[in-house]
Amino acid sequence: MPQSVILARHGETEWSRSLRHTGKTDLPLTDEGQRQAIALGPRLRAWTFALVLTSPLQRALETCRLAGYGDRAQVLPDLVEWDYGRYEGLTSSQIVETHPNWSLWRDGGPGGETAADVGRRADRVIAEVRQADGDVLIFAHGHVLRVLASRWLDEPPEGGRHYALQTATVSVLGYEHSDPVIRQWNLPPAS
């Protein structure tokens, strides 16, 4: 059976709830985020994983642990969220007040990363995933997972702008014949 790669976005944080760009700021989950993370567990039990990877940031690590995979997870620094530079902690609305035509996907974060930078990290993750002998589970963040999906499909990193991703959701990458595909996207946790 072809490999599946399951992407799990972390649960809610104070900043994700208020739509603030949260890159390297290491925020904990809210109470709702903890509940969401626990609810991810039953959905993820549909698979047996050969490899579990997580971002080193506490919101992903805690989601991984609460979903039931903390004891198996390997921390992978390439899964850290996009570095937004001087836009860290700001909402898109705040940013466009001073930079009306700004796009994260085109312009990146000043003093931070560009889409190409994040794409290089995603390519390294994909190379590691494809070495695994079986399905892989990844706990990480919205923008880096969107870039990873885009690169999985051999699209440019900027293609991630087309894949909206909510907190505490599950998405499934895989293959149809030998072509990389998105099998499922943005599934909520089990109710």
Side-chain angles (χ1 to χ4, degrees), residues 59-99:
R59 57 194 184 270
L61 285 167
E62 186 70 356
T63 299
C64 176
R65 185 187 70 76
L66 291 171
Y69 294 90
D71 60 335
R72 299 188 45 211
Q74 297 175 29
V75 173
L76 191 61
D78 277 334
L79 288 170
V80 74
E81 181 59 298
W82 195 312
D83 180 350
Y84 302 115
R86 292 188 299 279
Y87 290 163
E88 180 78 5
L90 300 178
T91 66
S92 292
S93 298
Q94 290 171 320
I95 296 166
V96 298
E97 284 176 14
T98 55
H99 297 92

Side-chain angles (χ1 to χ4, degrees), residues 6-182:
I6 291 61
L7 309 177
R9 184 174 176 205
H10 65 77
E12 178 191 82
T13 68
E14 288 294 334
W15 282 15
S16 68
R17 182 172 50 210
S18 60
L19 304 178
R20 293 169 68 181
H21 286 86
T22 317
K24 294 183 175 182
T25 302
D26 203 7
L27 297 175
L29 299 176
T30 61
D31 290 344
E32 174 62 12
Q34 291 175 8
R35 187 200 63 73
Q36 291 171 333
I38 292 166
L40 281 174
R43 182 173 294 284
L44 296 172
R45 286 192 245 308
W47 292 275
T48 301
F49 298 107
L51 179 63
V52 178
L53 301 171
T54 183
S55 160
L57 297 174
Q58 68 175 315
R59 57 194 184 270
L61 285 167
E62 186 70 356
T63 299
C64 176
R65 185 187 70 76
L66 291 171
Y69 294 90
D71 60 335
R72 299 188 45 211
Q74 297 175 29
V75 173
L76 191 61
D78 277 334
L79 288 170
V80 74
E81 181 59 298
W82 195 312
D83 180 350
Y84 302 115
R86 292 188 299 279
Y87 290 163
E88 180 78 5
L90 300 178
T91 66
S92 292
S93 298
Q94 290 171 320
I95 296 166
V96 298
E97 284 176 14
T98 55
H99 297 92
N101 295 319
W102 176 77
S103 164
L104 175 66
W105 301 99
R106 183 189 61 238
D107 306 320
E113 289 181 299
T114 65
D117 296 328
V118 181
R120 282 188 286 280
R121 291 196 283 115
D123 288 346
R124 291 192 297 265
V125 173
I126 291 168
E128 182 161 341
V129 161
R130 288 186 171 149
Q131 295 298 312
D133 189 21
D135 294 342
V136 176
L137 173 59
I138 296 174
F139 290 90
H141 316 276
H143 282 128
V144 72
L145 290 175
R146 292 167 67 177
V147 171
L148 190 133
S150 186
R151 296 301 301 136
W152 180 263
L153 299 174
D154 292 324
E155 295 176 350
E158 298 82 3
R161 73 183 176 277
H162 299 294
Y163 306 116
L165 196 58
Q166 303 304 310
T167 55
T169 55
V170 172
S171 300
V172 182
L173 307 178
Y175 294 93
E176 182 176 82
H177 308 292
S178 60
D179 295 320
V181 297
I182 295 176

